[in-house]
Amino acid sequence: MSKYCFGVDVGGTTVKMGLFTPDGELLEKWEIPTRTEDQGAHIIDDIAVAIEQKIADRGIEKDDVLGIGVGVPGPVDKNGVVFQAVNLGWGVVDLKSELEKKTGFSVKAGNDANVAALGEQWKGGGKGYDDMVLVTLGTGVGGGIIVNGKMLIGVGGAGGEIGHIHLEDKETEPCGCGNFGCLEQYASATGIVRLANRKLAASDRESVLRSQPVSAKHIWDAIKDGDPLAVEVAEEFGEYLGKGLAIIADICNPKAFVLGGGVSKAGDILITYVRKYYQKYVFHASRDAIFALAVLENDAGIYGAAKQILE
Ligand code: ZN
């Protein structure tokens, strides 16, 4: 008998859904809009209806559904209770109980970044590594820590919030979290642009970056072309991120770091700068950690969501 599980990745504009086999084969994926009106009161209903429709469309027996795993943009505790997901309009929501009641299936829920780490560990860039860290370098810096094949969740579901490791005492602009000097302020797409703009403003030195509005992609292209000012930006970026990852490694000694998100599109050159400073700062026993690129992109969330059911 074939068995199935669902992976659901709830975002601020769409809910991504996937139907999987227990071996991790993605049979079908689709999306529904996220209805954030009325404090997101309809989201759980919409997920339940979409799953029931899919089961009916494919003629799947209810007994063959192992369960539904969900990823949510906010802290989620071990019992599947969400503590504020601003993008969804949610305060405290007992997601696991509510979705179980509406569908009759077993439900597990986790923070979306932690769940994405589980996905990359299961079928992506961290495949085969029971101890790994996903670092998502996007608009912000997110991530998830997998220890012994399990997500590090913490008491309130805020484990793996690596973007807010404090790295810079002299920072004068606040991070989105309200603190000053977080990793995210330097290692995200907006962070590297900030580093470049500060360096451009500090002198009149020539750089190809002066001829265009600076974006993360322009900066990495300039680095690859050897633009001296851009290369200095890469060194600063690498020092911040390498130092942040060294701190993580000193705590959990991972086998691998998997880098994802828009900034990781820069590819191997990104790893070169990060590893240089990582190896400078980390305790010697963690020096040989593997650096790899994420491969599942936007599907990491549905893969990891589904994997929660199989644990
Ligand atoms: Zn912060």
Side-chain angles (χ1 to χ4, degrees):
M1 276 311 269
S2 304
K3 298 280 182 192
Y4 304 91
C5 56
F6 287 91
V8 179
D9 183 13
V10 187
T13 50
T14 60
V15 180
K16 297 186 176 65
M17 311 186 80
L19 175 65
F20 291 85
T21 68
D23 294 335
E25 188 191 343
L26 177 57
L27 299 171
E28 186 181 347
K29 62 173 175 173
W30 71 103
E31 291 181 6
I32 60 172
T34 307
R35 285 201 285 152
T36 53
E37 66 259 32
D38 307 326
Q39 284 81 51
H42 312 292
I43 295 172
I44 296 176
D45 276 331
D46 291 349
I47 293 170
V49 167
I51 285 173
E52 269 161 28
Q53 269 174 5
K54 190 58 62 185
I55 289 169
D57 289 351
R58 294 183 73 109
I60 293 171
E61 297 285 335
K62 286 207 164 190
D63 286 348
D64 291 331
V65 177
L66 299 172
I68 306 165
V70 190
V72 179
V76 184
D77 76 5
K78 292 185 177 76
N79 302 316
V81 178
V82 181
F83 295 92
Q84 209 172 50
V86 180
N87 294 344
L88 308 181
W90 286 3
V92 178
V93 172
D94 190 345
L95 174 59
K96 175 182 161 68
S97 299
E98 287 190 34
L99 191 56
E100 283 184 344
K101 226 177 285 169
K102 288 187 168 125
T103 61
F105 298 123
S106 163
V107 172
K108 287 201 175 166
N111 167 263
D112 57 358
N114 291 344
V115 161
L118 192 62
E120 287 289 345
Q121 191 261 340
W122 190 29
K123 293 289 171 184
K127 195 173 174 182
Y129 307 135
D130 276 354
D131 295 272
M132 58 82 75
V133 178
L134 174 69
V135 184
T136 307
L137 307 167
T139 320
V141 174
I145 299 173
I146 304 295
V147 178
N148 225 348
K150 300 226 176 293
M151 295 186 290
L152 193 153
I153 297 167
V155 66
E161 275 298 339
I162 63 181
H164 302 285
I165 293 174
H166 174 80
L167 286 178
E168 180 57 79
D169 292 343
K170 299 191 184 82
E171 182 58 56
T172 54
E173 292 173 27
C175 175
C177 75
N179 287 344
F180 293 79
C182 296
L183 173 61
E184 173 167 301
Q185 289 186 276
Y186 313 99
S188 60
T190 44
I192 192 169
V193 168
R194 252 166 38 98
L195 290 175
N197 282 332
R198 282 182 176 180
K199 195 166 278 294
L200 288 166
S203 77
D204 292 329
R205 286 165 58 201
E206 271 184 43
S207 167
V208 293
L209 296 176
R210 290 197 190 278
S211 59
Q212 56 197 349
V214 177
S215 72
K217 183 178 184 310
H218 289 138
I219 297 167
W220 285 105
D221 287 346
I223 293 162
K224 287 171 188 166
D225 290 342
D227 182 85
L229 187 141
V231 168
E232 286 176 28
V233 172
E235 297 280 352
E236 278 185 35
F237 170 92
E239 176 143 23
Y240 281 116
L241 185 52
K243 195 180 277 183
L245 300 189
I247 292 169
I248 296 166
D250 288 347
I251 297 163
C252 65
N253 183 215
K255 177 79 175 172
F257 287 98
V258 176
L259 308 181
V263 177
S264 73
K265 298 250 187 295
D268 291 337
I269 191 165
L270 166 77
I271 290 177
T272 306
Y273 285 102
V274 176
R275 182 161 42 201
K276 173 178 171 185
Y277 289 97
Y278 169 80
Q279 292 186 333
K280 175 177 174 186
Y281 291 113
V282 78
F283 182 62
H284 58 79
S286 289
R287 266 196 109 227
D288 294 332
I290 293 163
F291 281 76
L293 296 171
V295 299
L296 296 178
E297 300 198 341
N298 291 332
D299 289 343
I302 53 173
Y303 273 91
K307 178 67 165 62
Q308 294 178 102
I309 287 299
L310 305 168
E311 306 211 298

Short mmCIF file of all heavy atoms in Angstrom, two decimals, residues 218-278:
data_model
loop_
_atom_site.label_atom_id
_atom_site.label_comp_id
_atom_site.label_asym_id
_atom_site.label_seq_id
_atom_site.Cartn_x
_atom_site.Cartn_y
_atom_site.Cartn_z
N HIS A 218 25.07 43.04 -8.11
CA HIS A 218 26.12 43.90 -8.68
C HIS A 218 27.42 43.76 -7.89
O HIS A 218 28.52 43.74 -8.46
CB HIS A 218 25.70 45.37 -8.66
CG HIS A 218 24.62 45.69 -9.64
ND1 HIS A 218 23.55 46.50 -9.34
CD2 HIS A 218 24.45 45.28 -10.91
CE1 HIS A 218 22.76 46.58 -10.40
NE2 HIS A 218 23.28 45.85 -11.36
N ILE A 219 27.28 43.71 -6.57
CA ILE A 219 28.48 43.64 -5.73
C ILE A 219 29.24 42.34 -6.00
O ILE A 219 30.45 42.35 -6.21
CB ILE A 219 28.10 43.74 -4.22
CG1 ILE A 219 27.48 45.11 -3.93
CG2 ILE A 219 29.34 43.53 -3.35
CD1 ILE A 219 26.79 45.21 -2.59
N TRP A 220 28.51 41.22 -6.05
CA TRP A 220 29.21 39.94 -6.29
C TRP A 220 29.79 39.89 -7.70
O TRP A 220 30.88 39.34 -7.90
CB TRP A 220 28.29 38.75 -6.01
CG TRP A 220 28.11 38.57 -4.53
CD1 TRP A 220 27.02 38.90 -3.78
CD2 TRP A 220 29.10 38.10 -3.59
NE1 TRP A 220 27.26 38.63 -2.45
CE2 TRP A 220 28.53 38.14 -2.31
CE3 TRP A 220 30.42 37.63 -3.72
CZ2 TRP A 220 29.20 37.75 -1.15
CZ3 TRP A 220 31.11 37.22 -2.59
CH2 TRP A 220 30.50 37.28 -1.32
N ASP A 221 29.09 40.47 -8.67
CA ASP A 221 29.66 40.53 -10.03
C ASP A 221 30.95 41.34 -10.01
O ASP A 221 31.95 40.95 -10.64
CB ASP A 221 28.65 41.17 -11.00
CG ASP A 221 27.50 40.22 -11.33
OD1 ASP A 221 27.63 39.01 -11.03
OD2 ASP A 221 26.48 40.70 -11.88
N ALA A 222 30.96 42.46 -9.27
CA ALA A 222 32.16 43.30 -9.19
C ALA A 222 33.30 42.57 -8.47
O ALA A 222 34.47 42.71 -8.84
CB ALA A 222 31.83 44.62 -8.48
N ILE A 223 32.93 41.79 -7.47
CA ILE A 223 33.94 41.00 -6.75
C ILE A 223 34.58 40.00 -7.71
O ILE A 223 35.81 39.85 -7.76
CB ILE A 223 33.29 40.28 -5.54
CG1 ILE A 223 32.84 41.29 -4.48
CG2 ILE A 223 34.27 39.27 -4.93
CD1 ILE A 223 31.82 40.75 -3.48
N LYS A 224 33.74 39.33 -8.49
CA LYS A 224 34.25 38.33 -9.44
C LYS A 224 35.15 38.99 -10.49
O LYS A 224 36.09 38.38 -10.98
CB LYS A 224 33.09 37.60 -10.13
CG LYS A 224 32.38 36.61 -9.20
CD LYS A 224 31.11 36.06 -9.84
CE LYS A 224 30.33 35.24 -8.82
NZ LYS A 224 28.95 34.96 -9.24
N ASP A 225 34.86 40.28 -10.82
CA ASP A 225 35.70 41.00 -11.79
C ASP A 225 36.94 41.60 -11.15
O ASP A 225 37.74 42.26 -11.83
CB ASP A 225 34.88 42.13 -12.45
CG ASP A 225 33.81 41.57 -13.38
OD1 ASP A 225 33.94 40.40 -13.76
OD2 ASP A 225 32.85 42.31 -13.70
N GLY A 226 37.07 41.44 -9.83
CA GLY A 226 38.28 41.92 -9.15
C GLY A 226 38.28 43.40 -8.82
O GLY A 226 39.33 43.98 -8.55
N ASP A 227 37.13 44.04 -8.83
CA ASP A 227 37.06 45.46 -8.43
C ASP A 227 37.58 45.60 -6.99
O ASP A 227 37.02 44.98 -6.08
CB ASP A 227 35.59 45.91 -8.52
CG ASP A 227 35.43 47.39 -8.17
OD1 ASP A 227 35.61 48.21 -9.07
OD2 ASP A 227 35.13 47.69 -7.00
N PRO A 228 38.66 46.39 -6.78
CA PRO A 228 39.31 46.38 -5.45
C PRO A 228 38.38 46.79 -4.32
O PRO A 228 38.42 46.19 -3.24
CB PRO A 228 40.46 47.38 -5.61
CG PRO A 228 40.73 47.44 -7.07
CD PRO A 228 39.41 47.22 -7.75
N LEU A 229 37.54 47.80 -4.54
CA LEU A 229 36.64 48.23 -3.47
C LEU A 229 35.62 47.13 -3.16
O LEU A 229 35.34 46.82 -1.99
CB LEU A 229 35.94 49.53 -3.88
CG LEU A 229 35.10 50.19 -2.79
CD1 LEU A 229 35.24 51.71 -2.83
CD2 LEU A 229 33.63 49.81 -2.90
N ALA A 230 35.10 46.49 -4.20
CA ALA A 230 34.13 45.42 -4.00
C ALA A 230 34.77 44.24 -3.27
O ALA A 230 34.14 43.61 -2.41
CB ALA A 230 33.55 44.96 -5.34
N VAL A 231 36.03 43.96 -3.59
CA VAL A 231 36.73 42.86 -2.91
C VAL A 231 36.87 43.16 -1.41
O VAL A 231 36.72 42.26 -0.57
CB VAL A 231 38.10 42.60 -3.57
CG1 VAL A 231 38.96 41.68 -2.71
CG2 VAL A 231 37.90 42.00 -4.96
N GLU A 232 37.10 44.43 -1.08
CA GLU A 232 37.16 44.79 0.35
C GLU A 232 35.80 44.57 1.02
O GLU A 232 35.73 44.16 2.18
CB GLU A 232 37.59 46.25 0.51
CG GLU A 232 39.06 46.47 0.25
CD GLU A 232 39.46 47.94 0.33
OE1 GLU A 232 38.79 48.70 1.07
OE2 GLU A 232 40.41 48.33 -0.37
N VAL A 233 34.72 44.84 0.29
CA VAL A 233 33.38 44.58 0.83
C VAL A 233 33.21 43.08 1.08
O VAL A 233 32.68 42.65 2.11
CB VAL A 233 32.29 45.10 -0.14
CG1 VAL A 233 30.89 44.66 0.32
CG2 VAL A 233 32.36 46.61 -0.26
N ALA A 234 33.70 42.26 0.14
CA ALA A 234 33.60 40.81 0.30
C ALA A 234 34.37 40.34 1.53
O ALA A 234 33.92 39.45 2.26
CB ALA A 234 34.14 40.10 -0.94
N GLU A 235 35.53 40.95 1.78
CA GLU A 235 36.32 40.58 2.96
C GLU A 235 35.55 40.93 4.24
O GLU A 235 35.50 40.13 5.18
CB GLU A 235 37.67 41.32 2.96
CG GLU A 235 38.58 40.97 1.78
CD GLU A 235 39.34 39.65 1.97
OE1 GLU A 235 39.30 39.06 3.06
OE2 GLU A 235 39.97 39.20 0.97
N GLU A 236 34.94 42.11 4.26
CA GLU A 236 34.16 42.49 5.45
C GLU A 236 32.97 41.57 5.65
O GLU A 236 32.70 41.09 6.76
CB GLU A 236 33.63 43.94 5.30
CG GLU A 236 34.64 44.99 5.66
CD GLU A 236 34.01 46.39 5.60
OE1 GLU A 236 32.82 46.54 5.95
OE2 GLU A 236 34.72 47.32 5.19
N PHE A 237 32.26 41.32 4.55
CA PHE A 237 31.12 40.41 4.59
C PHE A 237 31.55 39.03 5.10
O PHE A 237 30.94 38.45 5.99
CB PHE A 237 30.53 40.31 3.17
CG PHE A 237 29.50 39.23 2.99
CD1 PHE A 237 28.16 39.51 3.16
CD2 PHE A 237 29.87 37.94 2.62
CE1 PHE A 237 27.20 38.51 2.99
CE2 PHE A 237 28.92 36.95 2.45
CZ PHE A 237 27.59 37.24 2.64
N GLY A 238 32.64 38.53 4.54
CA GLY A 238 33.14 37.22 4.92
C GLY A 238 33.56 37.17 6.37
O GLY A 238 33.36 36.17 7.06
N GLU A 239 34.11 38.28 6.87
CA GLU A 239 34.55 38.31 8.26
C GLU A 239 33.34 38.25 9.21
O GLU A 239 33.34 37.49 10.18
CB GLU A 239 35.40 39.55 8.54
CG GLU A 239 35.79 39.67 10.01
CD GLU A 239 37.19 40.21 10.23
OE1 GLU A 239 37.70 40.90 9.34
OE2 GLU A 239 37.77 39.92 11.30
N TYR A 240 32.32 39.04 8.92
CA TYR A 240 31.12 39.00 9.77
C TYR A 240 30.47 37.62 9.74
O TYR A 240 30.18 37.03 10.78
CB TYR A 240 30.10 40.05 9.33
CG TYR A 240 30.41 41.46 9.79
CD1 TYR A 240 30.68 42.48 8.88
CD2 TYR A 240 30.40 41.77 11.15
CE1 TYR A 240 30.95 43.77 9.30
CE2 TYR A 240 30.67 43.07 11.58
CZ TYR A 240 30.94 44.06 10.65
OH TYR A 240 31.21 45.34 11.07
N LEU A 241 30.23 37.11 8.54
CA LEU A 241 29.51 35.84 8.45
C LEU A 241 30.37 34.68 8.96
O LEU A 241 29.89 33.81 9.68
CB LEU A 241 29.05 35.59 7.00
CG LEU A 241 28.18 34.35 6.77
CD1 LEU A 241 26.98 34.31 7.71
CD2 LEU A 241 27.69 34.31 5.32
N GLY A 242 31.65 34.70 8.61
CA GLY A 242 32.56 33.65 9.08
C GLY A 242 32.65 33.62 10.59
O GLY A 242 32.66 32.55 11.22
N LYS A 243 32.69 34.81 11.19
CA LYS A 243 32.74 34.90 12.65
C LYS A 243 31.43 34.37 13.27
O LYS A 243 31.46 33.62 14.24
CB LYS A 243 32.96 36.37 13.05
CG LYS A 243 33.39 36.57 14.49
CD LYS A 243 33.60 38.05 14.80
CE LYS A 243 34.98 38.55 14.37
NZ LYS A 243 35.19 39.98 14.74
N GLY A 244 30.31 34.74 12.67
CA GLY A 244 29.01 34.27 13.17
C GLY A 244 28.91 32.75 13.11
O GLY A 244 28.47 32.10 14.06
N LEU A 245 29.37 32.17 12.00
CA LEU A 245 29.28 30.72 11.85
C LEU A 245 30.27 30.02 12.77
O LEU A 245 30.01 28.90 13.25
CB LEU A 245 29.50 30.32 10.38
CG LEU A 245 28.50 30.90 9.38
CD1 LEU A 245 28.68 30.26 8.01
CD2 LEU A 245 27.06 30.74 9.84
N ALA A 246 31.39 30.67 13.06
CA ALA A 246 32.36 30.09 14.00
C ALA A 246 31.75 30.00 15.40
O ALA A 246 31.94 29.02 16.12
CB ALA A 246 33.64 30.93 14.03
N ILE A 247 30.97 31.01 15.76
CA ILE A 247 30.30 30.99 17.08
C ILE A 247 29.32 29.82 17.13
O ILE A 247 29.27 29.06 18.10
CB ILE A 247 29.56 32.33 17.32
CG1 ILE A 247 30.58 33.46 17.50
CG2 ILE A 247 28.63 32.22 18.53
CD1 ILE A 247 29.97 34.86 17.48
N ILE A 248 28.56 29.64 16.05
CA ILE A 248 27.61 28.52 16.01
C ILE A 248 28.34 27.19 16.11
O ILE A 248 27.94 26.29 16.85
CB ILE A 248 26.78 28.58 14.71
CG1 ILE A 248 25.92 29.84 14.67
CG2 ILE A 248 25.90 27.34 14.57
CD1 ILE A 248 25.34 30.13 13.30
N ALA A 249 29.44 27.07 15.37
CA ALA A 249 30.19 25.81 15.36
C ALA A 249 30.78 25.50 16.73
O ALA A 249 30.87 24.34 17.13
CB ALA A 249 31.30 25.86 14.30
N ASP A 250 31.19 26.55 17.45
CA ASP A 250 31.74 26.32 18.79
C ASP A 250 30.68 25.75 19.73
O ASP A 250 30.99 25.14 20.74
CB ASP A 250 32.31 27.62 19.36
CG ASP A 250 33.61 28.02 18.66
OD1 ASP A 250 34.17 27.18 17.92
OD2 ASP A 250 34.05 29.16 18.84
N ILE A 251 29.42 25.95 19.40
CA ILE A 251 28.33 25.43 20.24
C ILE A 251 27.89 24.05 19.77
O ILE A 251 27.68 23.16 20.58
CB ILE A 251 27.13 26.40 20.22
CG1 ILE A 251 27.55 27.74 20.83
CG2 ILE A 251 25.94 25.82 20.97
CD1 ILE A 251 26.63 28.89 20.51
N CYS A 252 27.74 23.86 18.44
CA CYS A 252 27.12 22.59 18.01
C CYS A 252 27.99 21.73 17.10
O CYS A 252 27.56 20.66 16.71
CB CYS A 252 25.75 22.85 17.39
SG CYS A 252 25.80 23.78 15.88
N ASN A 253 29.19 22.18 16.74
CA ASN A 253 30.16 21.35 16.01
C ASN A 253 29.54 20.61 14.81
O ASN A 253 29.53 19.39 14.74
CB ASN A 253 30.78 20.34 17.02
CG ASN A 253 31.87 19.46 16.40
OD1 ASN A 253 31.99 18.31 16.77
ND2 ASN A 253 32.63 20.00 15.49
N PRO A 254 28.96 21.36 13.86
CA PRO A 254 28.27 20.70 12.75
C PRO A 254 29.24 20.08 11.74
O PRO A 254 30.39 20.50 11.62
CB PRO A 254 27.50 21.85 12.09
CG PRO A 254 28.33 23.05 12.36
CD PRO A 254 28.95 22.83 13.71
N LYS A 255 28.72 19.10 11.02
CA LYS A 255 29.49 18.51 9.92
C LYS A 255 29.52 19.47 8.73
O LYS A 255 30.50 19.53 8.01
CB LYS A 255 28.81 17.19 9.49
CG LYS A 255 29.45 16.49 8.32
CD LYS A 255 30.67 15.74 8.73
CE LYS A 255 31.25 14.92 7.58
NZ LYS A 255 32.55 14.34 7.95
N ALA A 256 28.39 20.18 8.53
CA ALA A 256 28.30 21.02 7.33
C ALA A 256 27.48 22.28 7.58
O ALA A 256 26.53 22.28 8.37
CB ALA A 256 27.65 20.23 6.19
N PHE A 257 27.86 23.34 6.89
CA PHE A 257 27.04 24.54 6.75
C PHE A 257 26.49 24.55 5.33
O PHE A 257 27.24 24.40 4.37
CB PHE A 257 27.86 25.81 6.97
CG PHE A 257 28.24 26.05 8.40
CD1 PHE A 257 29.50 25.67 8.86
CD2 PHE A 257 27.35 26.64 9.28
CE1 PHE A 257 29.86 25.89 10.19
CE2 PHE A 257 27.70 26.86 10.60
CZ PHE A 257 28.96 26.48 11.07
N VAL A 258 25.19 24.73 5.20
CA VAL A 258 24.57 24.82 3.89
C VAL A 258 24.05 26.24 3.73
O VAL A 258 23.28 26.74 4.56
CB VAL A 258 23.42 23.79 3.76
CG1 VAL A 258 22.71 23.95 2.43
CG2 VAL A 258 23.96 22.37 3.92
N LEU A 259 24.52 26.91 2.68
CA LEU A 259 24.17 28.32 2.47
C LEU A 259 23.08 28.43 1.41
O LEU A 259 23.24 27.91 0.30
CB LEU A 259 25.41 29.11 2.05
CG LEU A 259 26.66 28.97 2.94
CD1 LEU A 259 27.80 29.84 2.41
CD2 LEU A 259 26.36 29.33 4.39
N GLY A 260 21.99 29.10 1.76
CA GLY A 260 20.88 29.27 0.82
C GLY A 260 20.43 30.73 0.78
O GLY A 260 21.08 31.60 1.35
N GLY A 261 19.32 30.98 0.10
CA GLY A 261 18.81 32.34 -0.03
C GLY A 261 19.43 33.06 -1.21
O GLY A 261 20.38 32.57 -1.83
N GLY A 262 18.88 34.23 -1.54
CA GLY A 262 19.30 34.96 -2.74
C GLY A 262 20.79 35.23 -2.82
O GLY A 262 21.40 35.11 -3.90
N VAL A 263 21.42 35.60 -1.71
CA VAL A 263 22.84 35.95 -1.73
C VAL A 263 23.69 34.73 -2.09
O VAL A 263 24.77 34.86 -2.69
CB VAL A 263 23.29 36.54 -0.36
CG1 VAL A 263 24.78 36.82 -0.34
CG2 VAL A 263 22.52 37.82 -0.06
N SER A 264 23.19 33.52 -1.79
CA SER A 264 23.98 32.32 -2.08
C SER A 264 24.08 32.04 -3.58
O SER A 264 24.87 31.21 -4.01
CB SER A 264 23.39 31.10 -1.36
OG SER A 264 22.19 30.69 -1.97
N LYS A 265 23.29 32.77 -4.38
CA LYS A 265 23.41 32.63 -5.84
C LYS A 265 24.79 33.07 -6.32
O LYS A 265 25.22 32.72 -7.43
CB LYS A 265 22.35 33.49 -6.54
CG LYS A 265 20.92 33.09 -6.21
CD LYS A 265 20.24 32.45 -7.41
CE LYS A 265 18.76 32.19 -7.17
NZ LYS A 265 18.52 31.21 -6.11
N ALA A 266 25.52 33.83 -5.49
CA ALA A 266 26.89 34.20 -5.83
C ALA A 266 27.76 32.96 -5.99
O ALA A 266 28.77 32.99 -6.69
CB ALA A 266 27.47 35.13 -4.76
N GLY A 267 27.38 31.87 -5.35
CA GLY A 267 28.05 30.59 -5.58
C GLY A 267 29.33 30.40 -4.79
O GLY A 267 29.47 30.90 -3.67
N ASP A 268 30.28 29.69 -5.41
CA ASP A 268 31.48 29.25 -4.68
C ASP A 268 32.33 30.41 -4.17
O ASP A 268 33.02 30.27 -3.16
CB ASP A 268 32.33 28.35 -5.58
CG ASP A 268 31.63 27.01 -5.82
OD1 ASP A 268 30.77 26.64 -4.99
OD2 ASP A 268 31.93 26.36 -6.85
N ILE A 269 32.30 31.55 -4.85
CA ILE A 269 33.12 32.68 -4.39
C ILE A 269 32.66 33.16 -3.01
O ILE A 269 33.47 33.56 -2.17
CB ILE A 269 33.11 33.83 -5.44
CG1 ILE A 269 34.19 34.86 -5.07
CG2 ILE A 269 31.74 34.49 -5.54
CD1 ILE A 269 34.52 35.82 -6.20
N LEU A 270 31.38 33.07 -2.76
CA LEU A 270 30.83 33.40 -1.44
C LEU A 270 31.47 32.50 -0.38
O LEU A 270 31.94 32.95 0.66
CB LEU A 270 29.32 33.22 -1.48
CG LEU A 270 28.58 33.20 -0.14
CD1 LEU A 270 28.43 34.61 0.38
CD2 LEU A 270 27.20 32.58 -0.31
N ILE A 271 31.50 31.20 -0.68
CA ILE A 271 32.06 30.23 0.27
C ILE A 271 33.54 30.53 0.53
O ILE A 271 34.00 30.45 1.67
CB ILE A 271 31.86 28.79 -0.28
CG1 ILE A 271 30.37 28.43 -0.22
CG2 ILE A 271 32.70 27.79 0.52
CD1 ILE A 271 30.02 27.07 -0.78
N THR A 272 34.27 30.93 -0.51
CA THR A 272 35.69 31.23 -0.35
C THR A 272 35.91 32.30 0.73
O THR A 272 36.74 32.13 1.61
CB THR A 272 36.28 31.76 -1.68
OG1 THR A 272 35.99 30.81 -2.70
CG2 THR A 272 37.77 31.97 -1.59
N TYR A 273 35.14 33.38 0.67
CA TYR A 273 35.32 34.47 1.64
C TYR A 273 34.82 34.08 3.03
O TYR A 273 35.40 34.48 4.04
CB TYR A 273 34.63 35.75 1.15
CG TYR A 273 35.39 36.42 0.05
CD1 TYR A 273 35.01 36.29 -1.29
CD2 TYR A 273 36.54 37.18 0.34
CE1 TYR A 273 35.73 36.89 -2.30
CE2 TYR A 273 37.26 37.79 -0.67
CZ TYR A 273 36.85 37.64 -1.99
OH TYR A 273 37.57 38.23 -3.00
N VAL A 274 33.73 33.35 3.10
CA VAL A 274 33.17 32.98 4.41
C VAL A 274 34.08 31.97 5.10
O VAL A 274 34.40 32.11 6.28
CB VAL A 274 31.75 32.40 4.25
CG1 VAL A 274 31.21 31.93 5.59
CG2 VAL A 274 30.83 33.43 3.63
N ARG A 275 34.53 30.97 4.36
CA ARG A 275 35.35 29.92 4.97
C ARG A 275 36.68 30.47 5.48
O ARG A 275 37.19 30.04 6.52
CB ARG A 275 35.59 28.78 3.97
CG ARG A 275 36.39 27.65 4.60
CD ARG A 275 36.25 26.34 3.85
NE ARG A 275 36.29 26.53 2.43
CZ ARG A 275 35.80 25.66 1.55
NH1 ARG A 275 35.24 24.56 1.96
NH2 ARG A 275 35.88 25.90 0.27
N LYS A 276 37.23 31.44 4.73
CA LYS A 276 38.50 32.05 5.15
C LYS A 276 38.42 32.56 6.59
O LYS A 276 39.29 32.29 7.42
CB LYS A 276 38.83 33.19 4.18
CG LYS A 276 40.03 34.03 4.58
CD LYS A 276 40.27 35.10 3.51
CE LYS A 276 41.32 36.11 3.95
NZ LYS A 276 41.45 37.20 2.95
N TYR A 277 37.37 33.31 6.88
CA TYR A 277 37.24 33.89 8.22
C TYR A 277 36.67 32.89 9.22
O TYR A 277 36.99 32.94 10.41
CB TYR A 277 36.42 35.19 8.17
CG TYR A 277 37.21 36.27 7.49
CD1 TYR A 277 37.03 36.56 6.14
CD2 TYR A 277 38.19 36.97 8.18
CE1 TYR A 277 37.78 37.53 5.50
CE2 TYR A 277 38.95 37.94 7.55
CZ TYR A 277 38.74 38.22 6.22
OH TYR A 277 39.50 39.18 5.58
N TYR A 278 35.82 31.99 8.75
CA TYR A 278 35.33 30.92 9.63
C TYR A 278 36.53 30.17 10.22
O TYR A 278 36.63 29.96 11.43
CB TYR A 278 34.44 29.97 8.82
CG TYR A 278 34.09 28.71 9.57
CD1 TYR A 278 33.09 28.71 10.53
CD2 TYR A 278 34.77 27.52 9.34
CE1 TYR A 278 32.78 27.56 11.24
CE2 TYR A 278 34.47 26.36 10.03
CZ TYR A 278 33.47 26.40 10.99
OH TYR A 278 33.18 25.26 11.70
#
